[in-house]
Amino acid sequence: MRHHRSLLCRALLTGALLCIAGPLLERATADEQTWAERVAAVVRPADDFSAAEPYEINSGGAATSHKLVNRSSFSQPSANLPFEQQLTFKVGDGIFRKLWVSAPSSTTSSDGLGPLYNSRSCQSCHLKDGRGHPPAAGEAAVSLFLRISVPPRDAQEREALASGKAPVIGEPTYGTQLQNFSLPGIVPEGQMTIATEEVPVTLADGTVVTLQKPTYGVSDLGYGPLDPAVMLSPRLAPPMIGMGLLEAIDQADIDALADPDDADGDGISGRVNRVWDQEAGAVRPGRFGWKAGEPSILQQTAHAAAGDLGLSNRFVPYPGGDCSPRQTACREAPNGEDAAAGEHELPDRMLDLVTFYSRNLAVPARRKVDDPQVLAGKALFYESGCIACHRPKFVTGDVAGRPEHSRQLIWPYTDLLVHDMGEGLADGRPEGFANGREWRTPPLWGLGLTQEVSGPTGYLHDGRARNLLEAVLWHGGEAEAAKQKVVAMTADERAALLAFLESL
Amino acid sequence: MPRHLVSLVAAGAVTCIGAAVQAAPIEPHAVVETYADIAHAMYGDAHFAAVRLQEAVRTLVAEPSAEHLFAARTAWRQARVPYQQTEVYRFGNPIVDDWEGKVNAWPLDEGLIDYVDNASYGEASEENPLYTANVIASTSLSIGGETVDVTTITPALLADSLQEAGGVEANVATGYHAIEFLLWGQDLHGTGPGAGERPWTDYAKGDACTGGHCDRRGQYLQAATDLLVDDLAWMTGQWAEGGDARQSVLQDPQAGLTAMLTGFGSLSYGEMAGERMKLGLLLNDPEEEHDCFSDNTHNSHYYDVIGMVSVYNGTYTRIDGSKVGGASLAALVAEKAPDLDAEVEAKLARSVTAFSLLKVRAETVEAYDQMLAADNAEGGAVVQAAIDSLIDQTQTIERIVAALELQPIAFEGSESLDNPAAVFQ
C-alpha cells in the first residue's frame, strides 16, 4: 500500500480541520482487491459492544459537523468543505430559505411561485433543515402533503409504468400531488383531512402504548371529485442531512444487500427501486425519497421545486408546475419565466446551488458513544435484527469533483432498499417499482437531535409516531420479527435501545 | 524584512506603518493570548456601545421626540461599529457560534414584532403562522398550539418564547436587527433611495401616538436593548481571565490558531462574500442586505473587514483610542512563510480599499440596496469588486493554514479520519 500522507492530507478548515481520507488515495489495479477487502472489514457489523468503535462518533466521516448541539445542528456545512465551497453552500442556503413570490414582480429573479403550491420556500417544510411535522389541530398542513395517483387505465399507461418511464399515473385532474395553496384568483386543489384512531399495543411487561393511526382524505376539492380509484400517500418533509454521502455510496454496495426473493431465508427481502433518471435518459436505481423514487439529489431537488413550489426548471420546464390540462386558469396564469434571458423560474444556476447545498448539510457528530447504556442499546439494536435493514456502515465510493463525499466511512443506518413494512404502514400507492406496502429504509443518523432541531417530533413517512418507541412499534412486514423482539424487551432493555437511538 | 501593519486611523482611512520583525521566535501561545485579549476588548466595546444605546432608548421612551429618535438611531449605528468587528470570532469558536443568533440574526419577518405595510409585506404566510403576529399589538399569541401570554414584554419573553418561535428562523425577536426595525421601520423604497421612515410619534404618549400601542412598542424596544446589553456582557465575560472562550483557545494554542484562521476564512468567504453579498446580487433583491431597515449595510460590511485586519495584525484600537495588542498571527506567519505574510497583507489592504469604496459610494452616491438592482451595472460592479477581494484574500489564508502545518483538532475519544491507514487497518 502506498500512503503518501502529505498527498493524502489536504488541510482544510471549517469548524474543524480535517483531511479528506479518500479520493487522493491512489487506486492502482493491484490495490483493488486489497481496497475491497479493507472496506469489507471496516463495514462488517460490530460484535464487540464493550466500547465504541473507532470513528463511530463521526457519523458522516470527515464531513461530520462537530459544532455545539443546538437548534442549528442540521444546518452546518460538511466540515471538510474548502472555503470556496462554503461560499457556494451559503448562497445555496439563501435560495433554500428564499420566499418565492407570484409573477410578475419587481424582483424578477424571485418570482414564479405556483400557481398551485404547497409551500413558498424550501426551508418552510424542512424547518431548520430538519424533519417536518404533521399539522396541529386547526393548522394548515405545510410540511406534510399528499401524493396522489391512479392505477393504469389502458395499455399505454401500463407500458409507461412497466418501462419505468413514469413512476405513477397522475390523477387526471389533480396530477401527482395535492397542492393546498394557490395564488390569488386561482382555486387551491383542496385540503388534506386526517382522522385518527387510537390503537393500543401491549408490551410483554404489561406496558400499554397507544399508537395514533391516521386515515387521510381530501376536503374542499377545488376542481371537482377525485377519480374514484385515486390512491393517496402522505409524505412528511424528511431531514436534509447527509444526502451527498448517501449519493456517494457505490450502487454495487447497495445491490449486494438486495435479496428480492429472500434467497437467504431471513425474512428480509430488500429491493432496489428503479426509476426514470432524466439526465441519463434511462431507468436507474432510486435512492432518495420515502419510496426511493428519485435517482439523484439533483432530480429530487428539481421535482420538489416544481411540485412543492411550482417553479419551472430544466427537469420540469412547465411554469404551471403541477397544473393539469384540466386546470385551465392555473395554466394561463402569468408565470415567472424570463423569456428575454431564456430562463426558467428556477434557473439552472439556482437549481445547482440548492442541489449543492442539499448535498452538503453535514451529519452532526454522535453524543455519548461510550455511555454504557448506549452501548447496551447498540448491542440490542444489532441482536434484534434491526441492522438487517438499518445497515450501520458504508465506505463511500469515489465521486468525481466531490472529494468531501468520497471514500468516507459513514454510519447512516440504512440500506437504501425498499422493504415490505406491513399493512399498518402501507399507503397502497405504488411508486416506480416499489409497491404499496414498501418503504425505503430511512437513515437514522441525527435521529436523537430531532427534538432539539424541530421541536415536537413526528417520525415515519407521515409523522404519525410521536416518539421513537411508537415508530418502532409501527414496524411490520419484513420488520415484524425485529419489532416483536422489542415488544418482548424488559423496561431496562427498551430504555437502553432508545438511549442508543437518541445518541445517533 | 519590513512588513506592514494595516491599522485603522479613522473611518475609511488606512495608513501603513513600517515595523521590524521581532527577533525572538513567536510563540503560538502568545498569539492566541493576543487573540483572546482583543476579543475581550472588542466585545467589551460592543457592550459599552450597547449601554449607550440603552441610555438613548430610555430617553426616547421617556421623552419621545424627533431629536431623541435621531439620537437613538445614531447610538445604534455607533453600536454596530465594534460589534461588526467581533464577527471574525465567529465560525472558529463554538461558544460564539452558539450565541451569535441571539444578537445578530437576520433576515427577519418583522411582522412578528410590529405593524407592517400589508401591501408590500403581505398579510399572511403559510409557512410562518407568526408572520404578522404583531406582538406589540397583542396580549396573547398561539405558538405551536400553546397560548403564550405577551401582556408584559420582557427580555425573557423575547429570548425564550419568541426568538425562532415555531422553529421558523425568520422569527427574530431579539438582537440588533429587531432593535433596528423598531427604530427605523420597514424600508419601503425597494432598490430606490431611502431607508425606513418610522416617525418618532410611534413612541409618542397619548393621542399623539401613531401606529398604535406606543407604550408597548417602547416596552419592546427597551426589553430588546436590555437583552442585547446582557448578552454582550456575557460574551465579554467569556473572553475575560478564566472565561470559557479564552480557556478553549489558550489550552491548545494550535487549535486556537485553527480557530483564528477558520473564523477569518469562513467569515470572508461563506458568510460575507456568499450569504450577505453574492446572494443579494444574484437575486437583485434589496431585502438581501444586512442592515436593511437603516441602510447601514455598507458600514456593517466595512467593519467586518476591519475586524479581520485587527485580528491578523494583533492590534485593535478601542473606542476610547487606547490600543490592545501583542504577539500577532502576522508575525508568526512572517516567521514561517514571509511571502505569504506579505501576500495576505497586500490582499487585506486591497479588501479594505474595496470596502472603503463601497462605503464611500453608499454615503455619497446610492445606498447599498440600490447597488443590487438588476439594471445597476456600476453599483453591482462595486459590490462584486468587494466580493472578489474577499475571495482573493481567503485563497491566501488557505495557503497559510497549510504553511503553519496546523493539526486536525482531536475530537473526544476519536482521532480524525485524516489517516486512512488507521481507518482501514
Side-chain angles (χ1 to χ4, degrees), chain A residues 1-3 8 20-44 248-250 252-253 394-399 403 405-410, chain B residues 417 419-425:
Chain A
M1 294 308 305
R2 292 187 299 272
H3 295 301
L8 293 175
I20 292 165
L24 303 161
L25 189 67
E26 292 170 43
R27 280 179 81 172
T29 317
D31 285 351
E32 287 293 334
Q33 186 59 37
T34 324
W35 171 260
E37 281 170 8
R38 286 164 68 205
V39 167
V42 84
V43 301
R44 194 170 296 136
I249 296 173
D250 275 337
D253 292 344
F394 288 89
V395 171
T396 59
D398 284 329
V399 187
H405 297 137
S406 299
R407 293 210 177 189
Q408 300 298 329
L409 171 60
I410 62 170
Chain B
L417 257 182
N419 185 351
V423 183
F424 301 121
Q425 59 201 343

Side-chain angles (χ1 to χ4, degrees), chain B residues 40-172:
Chain B
H40 186 242
M42 280 183 178
Y43 283 111
D45 279 356
H47 175 253
F48 175 83
V51 170
R52 287 280 179 84
L53 171 64
Q54 188 181 36
E55 289 160 4
V57 158
R58 280 185 187 150
T59 306
L60 168 66
V61 173
E63 301 167 48
S65 69
E67 290 72 23
H68 288 156
L69 177 60
F70 181 80
R73 287 176 175 175
T74 305
W76 185 88
R77 278 205 186 88
Q78 289 170 345
R80 293 293 283 166
V81 171
Y83 178 75
Q84 289 302 107
Q85 295 182 67
T86 70
E87 286 213 296
V88 71
Y89 286 87
R90 292 180 60 193
F91 304 108
N93 299 290
I95 290 172
V96 176
D97 289 341
D98 196 44
W99 163 92
E100 184 271 343
K102 297 173 194 239
V103 297
N104 200 35
W106 78 288
L108 54 158
D109 285 353
E110 58 268 26
L112 167 71
I113 298 174
D114 199 359
Y115 72 85
V116 287
D117 174 61
N118 286 335
S120 66
Y121 183 82
E123 294 183 15
S125 152
E126 299 82 30
E127 300 75 14
N128 185 359
L130 299 171
Y131 190 65
T132 53
N134 196 346
V135 172
I136 285 171
S138 309
T139 51
S140 78
L141 296 179
S142 173
I143 300 176
E146 284 179 37
T147 303
V148 177
D149 180 0
V150 297
T151 313
T152 309
I153 302 171
T154 60
L157 173 74
L158 303 188
D160 303 336
S161 298
L162 299 179
Q163 181 76 348
E164 285 201 3
V168 177
E169 284 173 330
N171 285 332
V172 176

Side-chain angles (χ1 to χ4, degrees), chain A residues 5 14 16-18 38 55 67 70-71 83-84 86 90 94 97-98 109 120 123-124 128 181 349, chain B residues 97-98 126-127 164 167 169 262 265-266 269-271 275 279 282-283 285 408 411 415-416 418 422 424:
Chain A
R5 195 165 185 283
T14 54
L17 242 184
L18 289 170
R38 286 164 68 205
Y55 312 110
K67 300 268 184 186
N70 59 29
R71 297 184 72 183
F83 287 125
E84 187 172 357
Q86 286 183 42
K90 286 283 196 167
R97 285 190 279 117
K98 181 92 215 146
S109 59
R120 288 175 59 209
Q123 171 87 16
S124 328
K128 304 293 293 176
F181 294 109
R349 64 178 186 284
Chain B
D97 289 341
D98 196 44
E126 299 82 30
E127 300 75 14
E164 285 201 3
E169 284 173 330
T262 301
S266 300
Y269 229 124
E271 184 71 15
E275 186 168 12
L279 185 67
L282 189 72
L283 298 174
D285 185 347
F411 298 117
E415 298 166 52
S416 69
D418 67 321
F424 301 121

Side-chain angles (χ1 to χ4, degrees), chain A residues 292-375:
Chain A
E294 294 287 0
S296 66
I297 297 168
L298 174 59
Q299 186 165 315
Q300 161 70 46
T301 306
H303 286 173
D308 306 352
L309 282 74
L311 301 175
S312 66
N313 56 68
R314 74 174 184 265
F315 285 77
V316 188
Y318 317 115
D322 194 36
C323 306
S324 73
R326 295 188 189 177
Q327 293 169 317
T328 47
C330 171
R331 288 236 156 177
E332 288 159 10
N335 71 63
E337 296 205 327
D338 186 344
E343 290 198 322
H344 296 302
E345 291 169 339
L346 186 69
D348 282 356
R349 64 178 186 284
M350 293 200 201
L351 174 60
D352 293 341
L353 284 164
V354 177
T355 303
F356 182 89
Y357 175 74
S358 305
R359 279 184 180 138
N360 279 295
L361 283 153
V363 181
R366 282 187 56 192
R367 290 82 48 218
K368 298 187 181 176
V369 281
D370 273 321
D371 181 280
Q373 190 190 27
V374 166
L375 288 168

